[in-house]
Amino acid sequence: MSAAFEPMAEQARRALAEELRRTVGGEVRFDSGSRALYATDASNYRQVPLGVVLPRSAEDVVGCIDACRRHAAPIVPRGGGTSLAGEACNVAVMLDFSKYLDHVLDLDPGRKFAEVEPGCILDTLRDAAERYDLTFGPDPSTHDRNTLGGMIGNNSCGVHSIMAGRTADNVEALDVLTYDGLRMTVGRTDDAERQAITAGGGRRAEIYRALDEFRTRYGDLIRARYPDIPRRVSGYENLEQLLPEHGFNVARALVGTEGTCVTVLKAVVNLVPSPRRRVLAVLGFDDVYAAGDAVPRVLEDRPIGLEGMDRLLIEFIRRKGLETGSLDMLPDGGSWLIAEFGAASDEEATAAARGLIDSHRARGGAGHLVRDRDQQKRLWEVREAALAATAHVPDMPESWPGWEDSAVPREALGDYLRDLKALFARHGYEASVYGHFGDGLVHCRVPFDLRTEGGIRNWQAFLEQAADLVVRYGGSLSGEHGDGQARGALLERMYGPELMQAFREFKAIWDPQGRMNPGKVVEPFPVTSNLRIGPQYQPEPVQHFFAYAEDGGSFATATRRCVGVGACRRTDSEKGVMCPSYMVTREEKHSTRGRARLLFEMLHGGAINDRWRSREVEEALDLCLACKGCKSDCPVQVDMATYKAEFRAHHYSRRLRPRAAYTMGLIHQWSRLAARMPGVANAVMQMPVIADAVKWSAGIARQRRMPRFASQTFVDWHRARPAKPRRKGRVMLWPDTFNNYFRVGTARAAAQVLEALGYEVAVPARPLCCGRPLYDWGMLKSAKALWRQTFDSLQGEIAEGTPIVGLEPACVSAFRDELPGLLPGDERAGRLARQTLDFTEFLAQDLDELRRFEIDGPALVQLHCHHHAVIKPEAELSVLRKIGLDHAVLAAGCCGMAGSFGFEAEKYDVSMAAAERALLPRIRSARYDATVLANGFSCREQIEQGTGRRTLHIAELLAKSLGTGGNPPAGGR
């Protein structure tokens, strides 16, 4: 039986929104943009919600559900939106707890308990618990952004479930709210308490009496039919917790019900000891089947985590260039097991790992011991990137979830993998397999054809046969992600009709009106309905400026590159730059995922219907800093800076842009004019009333200090100098707008360093610009025109292969990224992109020459976001090491200035919040004698204006050791 879809009339939806705004203190969002943002999760499914509520308190949740009940509106409690089975999307009111109800309320290390709100991020809890050498055992790969509420809904697991079990095994009590308005705390219930509850009367007594009758009626069937495996996560998988031998634990029975029964308001969870010292044993096998066969034997050594990866996954990682350096830690083989050992001491953990490696080698296998923590972290990052590695693989069809987390008994894993791979082949699929092998769980992302009717029929046939296969092995359709819509219709194959009736009755005890996440798990929608990208998805072709070579030359394909795993919703910058606007605002629409979803919906239609003119998409992209962090940090390399430029080129076609677009966006033109009378320009910007008026008219924040124009441009200074003798080749030093007109000392220092190394330094014969500020505003026709000027002016340099050396990372990235993307068919574009090097990239080609630059003293290094994302920092760091500088790279993320972004009046608060999140406090607390190295003009302005500390470009640092230091002229920098 499938759910019957009951649409809500638009007038009724608006009436519901009005009542929610009157009664709920949190945020109520029923606009088309918010509905589009929440129309999907990380699954194959799409259902536009009625609206979204972000409650600030438990009372808000109560009020929201009361209003929804009066309007017969369904409810979906949503976690981090990373669900892979469709349980986090529905035509319902979405309750998003992740913005406000995200706290650890209490932590009792003595009793090893913690009380959390449903929106609490797992790593927030784990970080708090680690202070007492404790942790929450289940740890999915999304641990730095998934929520405890979502984990309770899905019964999540993770790497260390062999040590601590599933989420259900770690829940002590739940504060829950039913759709009919009853709020109560549930947990383990002894007979005396149960009898007292039922004697008390009311709705609570009614529920407990029904649960008691339920367990009596179905207890024997549950005992007989539930698979006895560690990763039983399909269906209502924890109903055995109601049985007498489990203490009538109502809280654990509700775990894994995927929001179809109750809304969780708070949870008390168990904590377990967290081993202080950890060591990895990495074992190589001929193939993944042999790795699966070895699992029971490896478990005898009692690892705390045991993961498997096959050859195809590693091949995909190499093809995509993800963490390829970490692959050197893998021993010889065609598949691998990673066993983690934990103990109180390094010696104890190492001894256990060595014992496993020795026994594996005795059987003819290869093994490596990994003790270094940084290496361990890198290896785990490879494993955590597996989902991304199997998505959008070059020269492979698109892959999808849908059969991504089946589980079988551990002792049967090898044989199951053989049969599963054979089933793939029969249906024409090739897929990597990996996962939590220690618990018999297999992850995979399969290239299902969801775009054609024939492909859909093949997919459905595969799912039915795969379900039958896992049942034959005594396994579970889902071992981690839940069923939602993806596997709900297959559950009868696993449990049989009687238990399916039991599931319906259990849901009815809690939700007799059927309004909690309808159509998921119980009476589910058909697997092939509500597809986000199905045969009916036929977006109209659009003309676009960029090439989108990685997406088959299609902007529409680029908009569906996001797979929804939410790495952009991290709230710190320890792992990268992405996504500064989300870190500041905690708003889904200001995450990379949210923006990608809106762009997809823009082309899909339904929630957003005005395409390129969409106000909702423009609002979301307006706070994108175009830092390009997502281009490198997003697991599937969503390139939001490019998408933003593309969208704005169409959005503002034949329309006026905001004032800042014509001031900061055209800074190259204004700078050329100001260079004729820099003293006058600087004087005007220092007069209080006039300066404020100019800033207002230009859309610039009043709080910003405007950079001073140099009294002499770098190019003029360079041309006035006599030629220097050379012993090496000729280089073209690119005079970008920022270092030619403002910070000329940087460009002068770079020229002096290059000349000291024996190079002839040339500059272009006419003013040129890469057009970097134009992209943010979508002025792509103007950007193309500037590139063609560059082609004409540098025709000889391009032909001769002269290195173009850049000082401003944002400009170098324009050469390397935007240029070939805008002009893909122009051979000059490709050659110029290849010839352009960042200053330290050029120096790193001959590190031995840098021995003369020996520099003492500590230094803090703030990498420009484009340096991180496009250029990559390895060359810069190799130069710093070669000159002997005692340096530390700040894991502070984006500085928040991001070109013109931080100068704009409307963006100033966000810009400063991004800087104050980590960067500026770390600079202020640095030693007084520490050098602050920052190559980006934006970074330098933000740091100097925010802290008063002087910054240096690495060229200036090197020039200082020559005794020159760039010597900027008076009036400039």
Side-chain angles (χ1 to χ4, degrees), residues 469-491:
L469 173 64
V470 83
V471 170
R472 286 201 304 273
Y473 275 98
S476 178
L477 309 184
S478 171
E480 186 159 51
H481 301 150
D483 301 303
Q485 184 174 347
R487 287 170 286 275
L490 301 169
L491 285 173

Side-chain angles (χ1 to χ4, degrees), residues 302-415:
R302 302 178 68 82
I304 63 173
L306 182 59
E307 299 293 290
M309 302 187 296
D310 74 348
R311 171 197 56 78
L312 201 55
L313 174 63
I314 302 306
E315 180 182 323
F316 290 168
I317 288 172
R318 285 199 169 101
R319 264 196 230 181
K320 297 184 73 174
L322 300 173
E323 298 289 344
T324 52
S326 304
L327 302 183
D328 296 339
M329 288 182 274
L330 297 177
D332 293 340
S335 285
W336 298 267
L337 291 179
I338 303 174
E340 183 178 53
F341 292 87
S345 68
D346 285 327
E347 292 76 16
E348 188 180 352
T350 300
R354 284 195 191 280
L356 174 60
I357 292 171
D358 290 345
S359 65
H360 183 62
R361 287 173 176 168
R363 291 180 172 88
H368 285 168
L369 180 71
V370 183
R371 298 181 62 184
D372 181 81
R373 291 190 179 186
D374 288 338
Q375 290 183 341
Q376 291 181 39
K377 180 182 176 183
R378 285 166 49 209
L379 201 53
W380 281 129
E381 286 173 353
V382 169
R383 167 59 189 87
E384 289 178 359
L387 187 152
T390 54
H392 304 291
V393 180
D395 304 317
M396 293 283 289
E398 284 187 79
S399 59
W400 306 96
W403 192 255
E404 79 288 343
D405 72 326
S406 54
V408 297
R410 297 152 167 164
E411 58 273 12
L413 180 58
D415 288 338

